[in-house]
Amino acid sequence: MAKKLMILALATTFLAVGCVAFPEDSGYYDGHYDHRSNRHYDQNYDYDYRYDRERNRQHWEYQQQQNRLALERKKRELERRQWEQKRQKQSDWEHHKHDVKQQREKSDLKDRQKGQQQDKSPTNRWGERHQDHDKQQRHRRDD
């Protein structure tokens, strides 16, 4: 049994070395194997393109997802800016409205004060004239 096993091992070794050293398609040239003689090598006969297609599809999907995310980020940023501008405009408008209201109140107050002063002035003048006239009459009577 040991003899048969040794013979089998030597035969396998010889066949394996022989197949590598002397290939059937005579691809050995100038001390190395020349794959140009292998018709399957140029055509990538055994190459599975499904891997490339799957990888390309995954890459495309990843790019689409990144583009969607970037677009959503830009949209949110634009909406935030518009909201800030709208809020600022509203705040400015309310501030302006408040200023106008204060100016009107000041103007109305000044007008009322002027009116009161004008109202007092003729009364005082009339009262003063009346008092002066009374004094003059009393003075005449006393004389």
Side-chain angles (χ1 to χ4, degrees):
M1 182 82 160
K3 277 186 177 181
K4 288 183 183 178
L5 190 57
M6 280 290 232
I7 291 174
L8 182 62
L10 284 175
T12 305
T13 305
F14 178 74
L15 286 175
V17 170
C19 290
V20 171
F22 307 104
E24 290 181 10
D25 59 357
S26 64
Y28 194 75
Y29 179 74
D30 277 342
H32 62 280
Y33 286 103
D34 186 10
H35 294 289
R36 288 180 290 183
S37 64
N38 186 353
R39 62 184 166 90
H40 299 298
Y41 179 77
D42 290 336
Q43 298 172 359
N44 290 325
Y45 184 72
D46 294 332
Y47 189 76
D48 190 1
Y49 288 101
R50 290 178 293 178
Y51 172 76
D52 285 343
R53 285 193 299 270
E54 180 65 21
R55 188 170 46 99
N56 288 341
R57 185 188 61 79
Q58 288 175 352
H59 179 72
W60 180 82
E61 287 176 353
Y62 174 78
Q63 284 299 111
Q64 293 301 315
Q65 182 182 14
Q66 294 301 315
N67 291 343
R68 279 191 302 271
L69 291 173
L71 188 61
E72 287 175 12
R73 264 186 252 117
K74 287 179 183 178
K75 185 178 177 182
R76 281 193 306 262
E77 180 65 23
L78 179 62
E79 288 173 351
R80 186 189 64 78
R81 285 184 195 157
Q82 288 174 344
W83 181 82
E84 281 289 327
Q85 288 175 351
K86 186 177 179 180
R87 189 182 62 79
Q88 184 65 36
K89 284 180 183 179
Q90 185 176 2
S91 176
D92 291 345
W93 181 78
E94 287 175 359
H95 183 69
H96 178 72
K97 182 179 166 184
H98 185 262
D99 288 347
V100 168
K101 186 177 178 181
Q102 282 183 340
Q103 287 176 355
R104 283 184 185 165
E105 288 174 358
K106 286 180 183 178
S107 176
D108 290 346
L109 182 62
K110 286 180 183 178
D111 288 346
R112 275 187 248 134
Q113 288 175 350
K114 278 185 180 180
Q116 288 174 355
Q117 287 175 357
Q118 288 175 358
D119 288 345
K120 288 181 181 178
S121 294
T123 306
N124 286 342
R125 288 183 195 154
W126 183 80
E128 288 174 4
R129 287 185 204 153
H130 185 63
Q131 288 174 357
D132 288 341
H133 182 64
D134 287 345
K135 283 182 185 178
Q136 287 175 359
Q137 285 181 358
R138 280 188 226 148
H139 187 30
R140 286 184 193 163
R141 286 183 207 163
D142 292 337
D143 287 336

